[in-house]
């Protein structure tokens, strides 16, 4: 493995781990706040117990996300110094604001964790809500920085110089809204289904059913609503990519020939050497319609893009297909759940529906990782689209492969520790917050 591949692999691995911690940190505080709100309105101690249980998970994942995020900030400077030298002054504002949001989140989380019976109940609840709002703000600001890499703005590039820098224009670039919307909904989908699936599993095991039913209802409803909104944000993102990054769209669809009434490809095995696709199902005109809102609109094919400027087609295409496929499965499960919620309430306690949610536990995060792969691999060979190539930004320092091995060991160890802590927390929930226990109130 050469140093360039090692540097890219290290960033991919680090981002792949961090994105999961970050998304859970964005969403779980809202679940915690919903449960806390229900407790304050009803006085039901079950929801107080649920709030405390979820807040412990939030604390664990906040600490983990802080560690992995700090490591990433160092990696940007160590692995991509040329990129940071030129890009730092341009897109540094969202990173600075993200740091502010992080500190607000940390302070609010401290208030919430240690504020039970010390603050006014509604101030205490508001502190928990601020944790969620700050977490989402952090996520949006980081995505805005990434969107700038896909849609560079806020500067003039003249003779290799970055002039007339405007950090506000850079932050609110053409891609920030579509990417932020899609990523935020993806976080709610992935985390919502994962949490709902875990509590569904506890219900199937007949462990503290009332407690886990309450948790399941909150997380499942949130996940299902987000999953049905996600295709709308996906359509917005696809149209944006079609306009600004035609090479990425062509790689996503393994679309080699520029043509009107371009077909949407389902499946297929790209053959990059011969510029064709084997197998796969083509739906005529659908790609033109999805990309441009017009079935007759032409869609640029990879044959019209120089080979040195093409993204890796196979990885981008397979990741896109995986994201779309899992997204549709989760949307279908959402329709079933919401239909049952409205018309067939006995479905909600049926074992077959709970099993479907258990099966869905990893699906959202797999789709999330696949979508991030599409975003990053589909932008190659550019680190700043159309301005700076990734190969020109990598550090000249030798021995990056050893850094890759070290960081991989750190992140794998971190994930094992976090998984153990969360597993232990889930096992403790029923013992700590059993509403049938006559000493439940005293334990609280």
């Amino acid at each position: 493995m050469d140093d360039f591949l090692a540097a890219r692999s290290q960033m991919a691995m680090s981002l792949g781990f961090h994105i999961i911690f970050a998304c859970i940190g964005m969403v779980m505080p809202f679940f915690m706040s919903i449960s806390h709100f229900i407790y304050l309105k009803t006085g039901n101690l079950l929801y107080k117990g649920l709030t405390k249980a979820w807040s412990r998970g939030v604390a664990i994942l906040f600490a983990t996300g802080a560690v992995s995020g700090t490591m990433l900030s160092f990696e940007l400077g160590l692995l991509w110094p040329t990129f940071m030298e030129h890009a730092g002054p341009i897109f540094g504002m969202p990173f600075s604001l993200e740091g502010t949001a992080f500190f607000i989140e940390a302070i609010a989380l401290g208030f919430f964790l240690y504020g039970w019976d010390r603050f006014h109940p509604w101030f205490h609840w508001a502190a928990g809500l601020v944790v969620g709002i700050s977490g989402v703000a952090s996520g949006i600001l980081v995505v805005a920085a990434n969107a700038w890499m896909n849609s560079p703005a806020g500067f003039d590039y003249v003779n290799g110089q970055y002039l007339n820098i405007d950090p506000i224009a850079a932050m609110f670039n053409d891609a920030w809204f579509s990417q932020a919307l899609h990523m935020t909904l993806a976080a709610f989908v992935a985390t919502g289904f994962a949490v709902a699936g875990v509590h569904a599993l506890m219900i199937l095991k007949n462990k503290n059913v009332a407690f886990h039913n309450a948790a399941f209802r909150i997380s499942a409803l949130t996940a299902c609503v987000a999953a049905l909104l996600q295709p709308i944000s996906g359509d917005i993102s696809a149209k944006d990519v079609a306009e600004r990054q035609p090479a990425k769209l062509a790689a996503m669809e393994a679309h080699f020939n520029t043509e009107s009434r371009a077909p949407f490809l389902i499946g297929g095995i790209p053959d990059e050497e011969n510029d064709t696709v084997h197998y796969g199902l083509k739906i005529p005109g659908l790609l033109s319609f999805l990309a441009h809102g017009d079935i007759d609109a032409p869609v640029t094919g990879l044959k019209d893009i120089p080979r040195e400027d093409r993204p890796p087609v196979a990885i981008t295409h397979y990741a896109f297909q995986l994201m779309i496929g899992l997204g549709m499965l989760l949307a279908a499960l959402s329709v079933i759940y919401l239909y049952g919620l409205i018309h067939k309430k006995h479905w909600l306690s049926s074992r077959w529906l709970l099993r479907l949610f258990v099966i869905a536990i990893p699906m959202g995060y797999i789709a999330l990782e696949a979508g991030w792969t599409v975003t990053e691999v589909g932008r190659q060979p550019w680190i700043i689209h159309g301005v700076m190539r990734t190969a020109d930004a990598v550090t000249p320092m030798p021995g990056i492969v050893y850094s890759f091995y070290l960081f991989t060991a750190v992140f794998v160890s971190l994930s094992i520790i976090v998984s153990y802590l969360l597993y232990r927390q889930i096992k403790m929930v029923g013992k700590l917050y059993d509403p049938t226990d006559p000493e439940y109130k005293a334990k609280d």
Side-chain angles (χ1 to χ4, degrees):
M1 181 185 294
D2 61 30
D3 287 336
F4 177 55
L5 181 58
R8 289 189 60 192
S9 299
Q10 182 172 324
M11 285 301 300
M13 179 271 304
S14 302
L15 285 166
F17 276 100
H18 178 70
I19 197 172
I20 294 176
F21 301 143
C23 287
I24 297 174
M26 289 168 66
V27 177
M28 283 304 299
F30 285 103
F31 291 170
M32 180 181 76
S33 296
I34 293 170
S35 176
H36 194 188
F37 180 83
I38 296 172
Y39 162 65
L40 291 177
K41 295 296 288 185
T42 65
N44 188 336
L45 287 173
L46 183 148
Y47 287 98
K48 184 177 184 180
L50 177 57
T51 303
K52 286 193 169 185
W54 274 345
S55 69
R56 293 184 178 191
V58 169
I60 292 169
L61 290 158
F62 176 82
T64 308
V67 171
S68 61
T70 301
M71 292 171 69
L72 271 170
S73 65
F74 282 114
E75 286 179 274
L76 280 172
L78 291 172
L79 299 178
W80 313 102
T82 305
F83 167 69
M84 292 304 294
E85 176 187 356
H86 297 289
I90 304 172
F91 80 151
M93 178 171 286
F95 279 125
S96 300
L97 294 176
E98 191 275 336
T100 302
F102 172 80
F103 283 117
I104 293 173
E105 183 181 4
I107 293 168
L109 182 60
F111 280 174
F112 187 82
L113 292 175
Y114 299 102
W116 290 100
D117 303 321
R118 292 180 174 87
F119 296 130
H120 186 279
W122 287 107
F123 175 83
H124 186 219
W125 171 81
L129 185 62
V130 169
V131 176
I133 294 171
S134 300
V136 170
S138 293
I140 290 174
L141 288 164
V142 170
V143 170
N146 178 265
W148 178 84
M149 297 164 69
N150 288 303
S151 179
F155 66 98
D156 294 325
Y157 187 63
V158 182
N159 298 324
Q161 299 294 316
Y162 297 79
L163 307 174
N164 302 321
I165 293 172
D166 184 349
I168 299 296
M171 184 166 65
F172 295 108
N173 57 80
D174 290 342
W176 86 269
F177 175 76
S178 59
Q179 279 197 214
L181 177 64
H182 198 58
M183 185 65 208
T184 302
L185 286 173
F188 276 88
V189 172
T191 304
F193 276 106
V195 173
V198 168
H199 289 288
L201 181 61
M202 294 297 104
I203 296 170
L204 288 170
K205 290 183 176 182
N206 202 31
K207 300 286 183 68
N208 201 351
V209 174
F211 176 90
H212 290 291
N213 261 326
F216 175 78
R217 284 194 299 269
I218 292 172
S219 52
L221 180 59
T222 305
C224 290
V225 172
L228 293 179
L229 292 174
Q230 187 69 307
I232 300 173
S233 74
D235 180 67
I236 295 171
S237 294
K239 286 180 169 57
D240 180 64
V241 169
E243 179 181 347
R244 294 180 300 93
Q245 295 176 291
K248 178 185 285 189
L249 179 69
M252 287 160 60
E253 271 296 298
H255 181 67
F256 287 95
N257 298 304
T258 299
E259 56 185 320
S260 58
R261 291 182 175 266
F264 183 87
L265 178 65
I266 300 176
I269 301 175
D271 182 350
E272 297 182 57
E273 289 187 5
N274 298 306
D275 289 343
T276 189
V277 178
H278 302 292
Y279 315 109
L281 174 65
K282 293 184 177 181
I283 304 175
L286 184 57
L287 181 58
S288 291
F289 179 77
L290 292 175
H292 301 291
D294 180 359
I295 197 172
D296 293 316
V299 177
T300 302
L302 288 163
K303 287 183 179 179
D304 287 343
I305 297 168
R307 284 191 177 272
E308 64 270 18
D309 292 339
R310 294 184 189 179
V313 178
I315 295 175
T316 307
H317 175 67
Y318 294 144
F320 179 66
Q321 294 283 303
L322 183 61
M323 178 187 69
I324 293 294
L326 291 174
M328 296 306 293
L329 287 174
L330 294 176
L333 178 54
S334 301
V335 170
I336 294 171
Y337 178 79
L338 293 176
Y339 180 80
L341 189 65
I342 298 170
H343 298 290
K344 302 283 186 179
K345 293 193 180 297
H346 63 279
W347 285 7
L348 304 183
S349 58
S350 61
R351 297 184 69 82
W352 64 266
L353 183 61
L354 294 172
R355 288 193 183 102
L356 288 178
F357 274 91
V358 173
I359 293 171
I361 289 174
M363 287 185 180
Y365 285 115
I366 295 173
L368 185 74
E369 297 284 9
W372 195 252
T373 300
V374 171
T375 299
E376 295 302 289
V377 177
R379 189 181 62 246
Q380 299 306 313
W382 306 99
I383 192 168
I384 306 175
H385 180 65
V387 177
M388 180 186 291
R389 291 181 180 270
T390 309
D392 296 332
V394 70
T395 178
M397 182 179 67
I400 297 300
V401 65
Y402 300 108
S403 172
F404 169 57
Y405 295 149
L406 175 62
F407 273 72
T408 300
V410 170
F411 273 106
V412 170
S413 301
L414 194 61
S415 64
I416 291 172
I417 294 169
V418 170
S419 298
Y420 169 73
L421 290 174
L422 291 177
Y423 171 74
R424 185 177 160 195
Q425 176 63 23
I426 291 169
K427 287 189 67 175
M428 289 175 58
V429 160
K431 297 177 181 178
L432 290 174
Y433 305 113
D434 182 359
T436 63
D437 187 340
E439 297 183 2
Y440 174 74
K441 189 170 183 178
K443 286 184 179 182
D444 177 73

